[in-house]
Amino acid sequence: MRPKKSKWLDANIQAIDKLTPQTWKFTIEFEDDFEFISGQFITIKLRGIQRSYSIASFSKNKKTLELIIVKVEGGQLTTILFSDVEPGEKIEVKGPVGHFVMPEDLDRDFLFICTGTGLAPFKSFLDEMQITEKFPKRTYLIFGTRTQEDLLFFNEMKALVDEIPNFSYTPVLSRENWDGAKGYVHEHYEKIVKNDNLKNPLFYICGWRNMILDARKNIKALGYDSQDIKLEIFD
Ligand SMILES: Cc1cc2nc3c(=O)[nH]c(=O)nc-3n(C[C@H](O)[C@H](O)[C@H](O)COP(=O)(O)OP(=O)(O)OC[C@H]3O[C@@H](n4cnc5c(N)ncnc54)[C@H](O)[C@@H]3O)c2cc1C
């Protein structure tokens, strides 16, 4: 049987929270429960403009979900979202779609590699793990950004280290000296691969094209197959 073609659903922007000056969280509210698998994305239509966004949440409340969106200089939709939208604005939503999801078998190690708002699907995975209490063997999150100001959900992620068994969180800053990891994400997952004797690892990489393609090349060079590397490219 063919999958049902998804149609546009009415929704509204329930809340807007400024995570950083350039990255805001938009809470979307539906009229009925909206079912999705963590890691999937939706397409939103606002004032005739359509763009896709990974779902950045997972909760028992199926009537709302969260998106984390970065302002793109001169970007058509984000310029509107960051200057001319108030809570209550009506939007339409299509989806969910996407295969950037967790497998049934969690008896392996998972490496989540991202930069900026590429954190979105991983936030959804981690929220789901907390709710269902189903955890992979080990979960690594390597999150790259520029400065401490850009560290999305920093306190939430640090708190998860105590709540999710065998969860390791490595925020990496490329433009600021600090106590934590510095440079780019690549050297940090390479270190984990070389030192941690990983069990049948599955790599998830999300964000902007250049970082993703570099990471895939590096991970293949470390001896892993394409089938163990999942990609979600935003641009
Ligand atoms: C599956 C999927 C999931 C996505 N999830 C997210 C998400 O969770 N959060 C999020 O912020 N975005 C996400 N995006 C990107 C999003 O769909 C838009 O492309 C983005 O918000 C820019 O839209 P815009 O209309 O403002 O810019 P546009 O007018 O469409 O773009 C202007 C130009 O900027 C480029 N561009 C777009 N984004 C960036 C960027 N960040 N840095 C540099 N150049 C860029 C475009 O390629 C284009 O050339 C996702 C994209 C896809 C395909």
Side-chain angles (χ1 to χ4, degrees), residues 41 51-54 68-70 72 75-78 117 208 234:
F41 66 88
R51 295 288 183 270
S52 297
Y53 294 99
S54 292
I68 49 175
I69 303 182
V70 65
V72 171
Q76 225 189 326
L77 184 62
T78 54
T117 50
W208 311 102
F234 281 1

Side-chain angles (χ1 to χ4, degrees), residues 4 19-20 29 88 105 110 130 194 196 219 221-222 227:
K4 254 193 347 202
L19 303 178
T20 76
E29 182 186 41
D105 177 16
F110 289 78
Q130 253 192 314
K194 285 177 182 154
D196 279 17
I219 293 164
L222 289 164
Q227 65 185 36

Side-chain angles (χ1 to χ4, degrees), residues 193-222:
V193 170
K194 285 177 182 154
N195 296 338
D196 279 17
N197 192 19
L198 296 175
K199 183 179 178 206
N200 192 16
L202 191 50
F203 298 87
Y204 287 75
I205 317 168
C206 181
W208 311 102
R209 185 172 299 272
N210 291 346
M211 181 282 285
I212 290 185
L213 297 183
D214 285 349
R216 182 175 62 175
K217 194 172 74 193
N218 294 341
I219 293 164
K220 281 182 155 184
L222 289 164

